[in-house]
Structures are given as structure tokens and as C-alpha cells.
């Protein structure tokens, strides 16, 4: 089915040339063939297809690992020939792997490390992956559990684990992890203990978006501290529930966590500055244009209005507060102006090499996250598209938001970038050169050392009309006796509201 080079139907025992190794074009043909897989088959055949496809996925992962190792070796040789110091060789290879596999650069580095461990140090695990007997995730687990061992101990770990392949193949993932830890501890107990101690230095807190305008606040803690925090929250929830609190156990634990971390009497009274981006009509005239919270993403307009209203309600005062305190608002608005119809932020520039605070904040709101494709990391650097050392200006047009890893990856030889100018595009609407390209008005093209090109668009902001709209929507008719911006929220906002430019 998949062999296009004459190696398929030779017949048993008949001599003939071995089929040539498949090229990327051949593999693409296999992918297309899978789209037309026969569906008019028995259930027995369907189960067999599921099994073979699962094995094919594992074999493909093994091939990707081998290719990644070869790419790393080749790129290091090219960098050595270019005079790159030994300590910096290999920089950017993980990012190339990530772009090719449509993963984040951080994940690309992990995939490259996984490939090196499997191909160079764990031949039995790699053979199991290549044969389809082991999934990529389970191979990743085995590498993770042996990461603290040196090369010789890891080879012994690999051999001991696969002494009985049939038994290993029947283990669940949790049992496989337990078996791997036992072997690793027997081989080098000191390294395993030292790894556990080093892990405490990696403790931290992370925040990532969750569905339905929620977030996951995750704390990576030593086991004793994590269990202690959980026990304290559990005790509080059980006590309040016993006293008749109507909230669920999980709600009480979440609210208690917020209250104890922020020091507030209730979770709703936490004073914060949320970088909320929304149109004036969505804020004041009940328009349905979604809003954006940088670092989180799109939220419904009504949710954004409720967020501000809740801030106002929290500041109204409930007890011993003075009238002056009751009028203060626990919210701030920052006016950011966009071009009508495109939703593009008005540009800022600077003569400094490092973006000043105002321009840095502008880039953070426009780009929202690292601009490298498939990288959702927070913005840490404002990267010059044309490097400052080559005369690139510190302007919004020549800056892109980037995480540390993506910014450093671009420092390797062979990486280039440019901001695309689509001023002659039919959909530009007459904007000046480079003012709008793509959904967000700013497009950067990144070229890797192998010549592959990837373009990233700044995400669209609220207020941008579709590119091919035939005519701008007409004004909405106001009800008799009401102004266009008359809304309940606007009346609530007539308190002392802090505006910052």
C-alpha cells in the first residue's frame, strides 16, 4: 500500500532490491492514504486497525527521535564550522524541532532531550518504541525516571528494565513508574536522593487559563508543605460546612486560599489591576464585542462588565468604612486607542535600545503572549525583529513579545526575522505601510537556519471588523430619551474612578 518504489509485491522468496528509504514525500503519501482507510470492514478488522495505527504512531515517534538527534549533530557541526564557542553550540536546535512538530519551544527542548536519551543511551527502550510495543508517553516516563543516572547507570537501567519485555508490556503506567523507580534506586540510591533534594529548589507557582473564564493556580511544593496546605484548607472547609455554610467544599477551599494569600476578609474584595482590553461600546453601551485579558485570552463582554461592576460593588463599603472610603473604586482603567475597524493599537516608538515602560506595556497588550508559533509562554523580553546591533529601531513595528527561550534561540547563527509589509494588500483598508497585516495588524516572519519560514500574527483585539466586510455596520438606534452610552454600568462608574494614560 505504502511502498512506491517496487518493494511491495515481489512475492515470497523472490529476489529483488530492497525498497529505498522513504522520503518526506513518501511519508506524506502515507498520511493521505490513511485518510481513505477502508471503513466497510468487520469489527475484528477495526480493532486490528486501531492496534496497528497505535504501533505506527510509536514507530513514527521513534523515527522523529532519530531525526532530531541527526539534526542536532548536523547543526552543531555547522555551528562549529561557523566559529560558535563550544558552550553555545546546539542553541536553537530545540526551537527548530518545536516549530517542525508544532510544539512550544520549551516542549521542543524536552523532545530533543528525550530523543538523545533514547537513541544514544537507552537502546532497549528505543527498540520497544520503534517496534510499536511502547508509546511515546511511556518512553518519556522511563527517561524521566532515569534522568538522575549517569550514562553507564542508565544503560544498566535500560537493560534491567527490559530483561522481561513481555512483563513490562503488560504493566500499566503507574506500575511501570514504580518498577522504574525501584531499578533506579538499586543502581544509584545517592543520585535518586540528591535529585529529590534538588527538586525542592524548583518549587514555584504557575497560572494558566482554564475553560469558562477560570484559571488554574498551581503550586509545586515539597510533599510535606503540599500535604500541609491541603490539610489546612480541608479542615477549614469541613468546619464551615458543619456550621451550615452553603458553599460547596471546593468553593470554600478556593475562597479560603485566596483570602489567606491576599490577606483580605473575603475573596471578592481582593484589589487587583486586571489588564482588561475592551471597546468603549462594550464597556458602556452593552455591545457584545468580546474583551481580552492579556495572559488569559478572550472573555465575553458581559463577563468583562460584570468584572468591573463587582469591583465597584466591593468598594461600596460594608460597615465601619467612612463615606470617603466607600466612594473609592478598586479598579483602574488604562486608555489604549486602536485604529477604527482594524483593532490595531496606535504605535509607539523610542530611541532607546531597551523598550521604555510605556512601549513595553504596549507590546505586551498587543502580542499577549510569546509571538513564536505554538509558544504560549508569557512575554519576558521585547525582541527586536531587526536586531538593534544591525540598526533595528526600538519601535512597535520592529518589536515582538518573546519569552526568554525564544529570544535566546534566535541568537544562534542562521536565524532571521522580518516584519511583513502588506500595505499593498487589498484588505489593508488604505493603512500606511506595515500598519495592518493579518488578524492583529502585525505579522512577523521567522526563518530558521534550514530555510523554513513561519509567520506569526498578533492576535486580534476587540473592535476589529472582519477584513472582507462590505460596509461598516450602521449606528444602532437609541431608545427615546437615552444617550448612546447610557447604561447601568456607566451610572455605577460615576464614582471616583482612576484613569491612567
Amino acid at each position: 500500500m505504502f511502498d512506491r518504489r517496487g518493494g511491495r509485491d515481489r512475492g515470497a522468496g523472490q529476489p529483488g532490491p530492497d525498497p529505498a528509504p522513504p522520503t518526506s514525500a513518501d511519508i506524506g503519501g502515507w498520511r493521505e492514504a490513511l485518510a481513505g482507510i477502508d471503513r466497510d470492514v468487520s469489527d475484528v478488522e477495526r480493532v486490528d486497525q486501531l492496534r496497528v495505527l497505535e504501533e505506527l504512531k510509536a514507530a513514527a515517534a521513534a523515527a522523529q527521535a532519530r531525526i532530531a538527534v541527526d539534526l542536532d549533530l548536523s547543526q552543531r557541526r555547522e555551528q562549529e564550522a561557523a566559529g560558535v564557542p563550544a558552550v553555545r553550540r546546539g542553541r536553537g536546535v530545540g526551537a527548530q524541532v518545536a516549530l517542525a512538530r508544532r510544539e512550544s519551544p520549551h516542549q521542543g527542548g524536552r523532545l530533543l532531550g528525550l530523543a538523545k536519551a533514547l537513541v544514544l543511551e537507552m537502546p532497549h527502550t528505543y527498540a520497544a518504541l520503534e517496534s510499536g510495543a511502547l508509546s511515546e508517553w511511556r518512553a518519556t516516563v522511563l527517561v524521566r525516571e532515569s534522568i538522575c543516572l549517569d550514562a553507564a547507570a542508565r544503560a544498566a537501567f535500560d537493560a534491567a528494565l527490559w530483561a522481561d519485555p513481555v512483563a513490562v508490556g503488560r504493566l500499566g503506567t503507574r506500575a511501570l513508574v514504580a518498577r522504574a523507580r525501584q531499578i533506579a534506586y538499586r543502581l544509584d540510591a545517592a543520585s535518586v536522593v540528591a535529585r529529590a533534594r534538588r527538586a525542592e529548589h524548583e518549587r514555584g507557582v504557575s497560572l494558566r487559563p482554564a475553560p469558562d473564564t477560570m484559571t488554574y493556580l498551581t503550586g509545586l511544593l515539597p510533599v510535606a508543605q503540599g500535604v500541609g496546605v491541603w490539610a489546612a484548607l480541608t479542615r477549614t472547609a469541613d468546619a464551615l460546612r458543619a456550621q451550615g455554610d452553603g458553599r460547596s467544599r471546593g468553593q470554600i477551599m478556593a475562597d479560603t486560599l485566596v483570602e489567606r494569600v491576599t490577606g483580605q476578609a473575603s475573596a471578592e474584595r481582593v484589589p487587583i489591576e486586571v489588564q482588561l482590553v475592551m471597546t468603549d461600546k462594550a464597556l458602556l453601551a452593552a455591545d457584545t464585542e468580546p474583551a481580552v485579558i492579556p495572559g488569559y485570552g478572550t472573555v465575553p463582554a458581559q463577563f468583562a462588565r460584570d468584572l468591573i461592576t463587582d469591583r465597584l460593588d466591593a468598594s461600596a463599603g460594608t460597615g465601619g468604612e467612612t463615606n470617603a472610603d466607600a466612594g473609592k473604586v478598586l479598579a483602574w482603567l488604562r486608555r489604549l486607542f486602536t485604529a477604527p475597524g482594524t483593532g490595531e493599537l496606535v504605535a509607539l516608538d523610542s530611541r532607546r535600545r531597551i523598550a521604555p515602560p510605556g512601549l513595553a506595556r504596549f507590546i505586551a497588550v498587543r502580542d499577549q503572549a510569546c509571538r513564536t508559533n505554538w509558544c504560549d509562554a508569557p512575554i519576558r523580553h521585547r525582541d527586536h525583529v531587526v536586531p538593534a546591533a544591525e540598526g533595528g529601531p526600538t519601535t512597535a513595528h520592529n518589536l515582538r513579545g518573546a519569552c526568554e527561550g525564544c529570544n535566546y534561540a534566535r541568537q544562534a547563527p542562521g536565524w532571521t526575522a522580518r516584519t511583513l509589509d502588506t500595505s499593498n494588500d487589498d484588505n489593508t483598508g488604505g493603512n500606511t505601510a506595515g500598519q495592518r497585516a493579518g488578524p492583529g495588524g502585525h505579522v512577523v516572519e521567522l526563518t530558521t537556519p534550514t530555510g523554513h519560514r513561519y509567520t506569526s500574527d498578533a492576535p486580534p483585539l476587540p473592535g476589529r471588523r472582519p477584513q472582507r466586510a462590505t460596509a461598516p455596520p450602521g449606528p444602532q438606534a437609541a431608545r427615546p430619551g437615552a444617550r448612546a452610552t447610557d447604561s447601568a454600568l456607566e451610572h455605577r462608574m460615576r464614582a471616583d474612578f482612576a484613569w491612567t494614560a
Side-chain angles (χ1 to χ4, degrees):
M1 174 181 178
F2 295 145
D3 187 0
R4 299 182 177 183
R5 299 179 178 271
R8 179 188 177 192
D9 296 324
R10 293 179 298 176
Q14 297 182 11
D18 292 333
T23 65
S24 57
D26 293 330
I27 298 172
W30 302 348
R31 183 195 64 223
E32 295 173 2
L34 286 174
I37 195 168
D38 189 5
R39 298 174 59 189
D40 188 16
V41 296
S42 66
D43 286 348
V44 173
E45 174 64 12
R46 290 189 178 99
V47 172
D48 290 340
Q49 289 175 347
L50 290 173
R51 165 60 64 186
V52 173
L53 288 173
E54 188 64 27
E55 294 173 348
L56 181 61
K57 285 165 54 180
Q64 286 180 317
R66 174 72 71 179
I67 293 168
V69 171
D70 292 343
L71 175 65
D72 180 68
L73 179 61
S74 176
Q75 290 286 290
R76 286 176 180 273
R77 288 173 176 169
E78 290 188 10
Q79 292 176 4
E80 181 181 8
V84 176
V87 70
R88 293 174 54 191
R89 292 172 196 162
R91 177 180 290 183
V93 179
Q96 293 186 64
V97 172
L99 288 169
R101 295 190 60 169
R102 298 178 181 174
E103 297 279 4
S104 70
H106 175 72
Q107 181 66 7
R110 296 180 63 179
L111 290 169
L112 179 58
L114 170 69
K116 289 181 177 180
L118 289 172
V119 174
L120 304 178
E121 299 176 353
M122 303 178 69
H124 296 86
T125 303
Y126 179 78
L129 180 66
E130 191 175 38
S131 68
L134 187 72
S135 69
E136 184 179 26
W137 169 244
R138 287 160 68 85
T140 302
V141 167
L142 294 179
V143 171
R144 183 190 66 192
E145 295 303 324
S146 63
I147 198 67
C148 59
L149 305 177
D150 59 27
R154 182 176 290 179
F157 166 90
D158 185 55
L161 179 69
W162 291 99
D164 187 353
V166 176
V168 174
R170 293 173 179 171
L171 293 176
T173 301
R174 181 174 296 183
L176 182 64
V177 169
R179 176 78 61 86
R181 288 178 178 175
Q182 291 173 356
I183 296 174
Y185 190 80
R186 285 199 299 265
L187 289 172
D188 193 346
S191 294
V192 175
V193 173
R195 175 188 177 184
R197 291 174 178 171
R198 288 194 303 270
E200 294 186 5
H201 296 284
E202 300 175 359
R203 63 187 182 275
V205 178
S206 62
L207 183 72
R208 66 185 191 277
D212 303 322
T213 64
M214 302 291 283
T215 58
Y216 294 109
L217 177 65
T218 304
L220 179 63
L221 304 173
V223 61
Q225 296 177 12
V227 171
V229 170
W230 179 263
L233 294 175
T234 300
R235 284 195 302 269
T236 300
D238 291 341
L240 291 178
R241 290 279 290 174
Q243 297 171 15
D245 195 308
R247 292 173 295 173
S248 69
R249 195 165 179 265
Q251 290 172 341
I252 295 176
M253 294 175 69
D255 293 345
T256 302
L257 176 65
V258 174
E259 292 161 6
R260 293 186 179 181
V261 170
T262 62
Q264 298 298 311
S266 65
E268 292 77 12
R269 292 184 59 81
V270 178
I272 56 173
E273 178 182 358
V274 177
Q275 298 287 338
L276 182 64
V277 183
M278 61 191 307
T279 66
D280 55 346
K281 290 183 179 180
L283 177 65
L284 302 174
D287 192 75
T288 58
E289 178 72 25
V292 169
I293 298 180
Y296 177 85
T298 302
V299 297
Q302 185 59 51
F303 173 84
R305 288 191 290 268
D306 291 344
L307 181 65
I308 297 176
T309 302
D310 291 342
R311 296 292 107 197
L312 297 173
D313 289 339
S315 67
T318 59
E321 297 175 335
T322 64
N323 290 335
D325 291 334
K328 293 184 187 230
V329 176
L330 302 178
W332 291 263
L333 290 182
R334 187 180 304 280
R335 293 170 293 180
L336 297 173
F337 298 97
T338 61
T342 68
E344 183 192 3
L345 288 174
V346 176
L348 299 174
D349 61 9
S350 171
R351 295 183 181 275
R352 299 168 57 185
R353 182 182 183 277
I354 299 177
L359 180 55
R361 186 164 51 240
F362 174 92
I363 297 299
V365 174
R366 184 195 68 189
D367 293 350
Q368 302 182 32
C370 178
R371 283 287 296 277
T372 302
N373 298 61
W374 306 294
C375 182
D376 297 323
I379 294 174
R380 301 300 183 202
H381 294 175
R382 279 74 186 175
D383 181 30
H384 286 73
V385 177
V386 177
E390 300 176 8
T394 304
T395 63
H397 184 70
N398 193 51
L399 291 176
R400 65 166 194 152
C403 66
E404 293 183 29
C406 290
N407 190 20
Y408 293 146
R410 272 198 60 204
Q411 309 308 312
W415 289 80
T416 60
R418 62 173 181 151
T419 305
L420 297 186
D421 182 356
T422 61
S423 57
N424 296 323
D425 193 295
D426 292 338
N427 296 325
T428 57
N431 289 324
T432 58
Q435 286 297 301
R436 192 194 65 73
H442 187 259
V443 176
V444 175
E445 181 184 76
L446 188 66
T447 303
T448 69
T450 57
H452 292 83
R453 298 181 179 181
Y454 303 87
T455 57
S456 67
D457 301 62
L461 292 174
R464 180 181 176 274
R465 295 195 303 268
Q467 292 186 13
R468 298 187 180 276
T470 56
Q476 296 180 353
R479 62 182 184 275
R483 296 182 297 114
T485 59
D486 190 13
S487 69
L489 180 59
E490 183 180 16
H491 288 297
R492 302 296 303 278
M493 291 174 60
R494 289 176 183 171
D496 296 332
F497 215 99
W499 288 82
T500 58

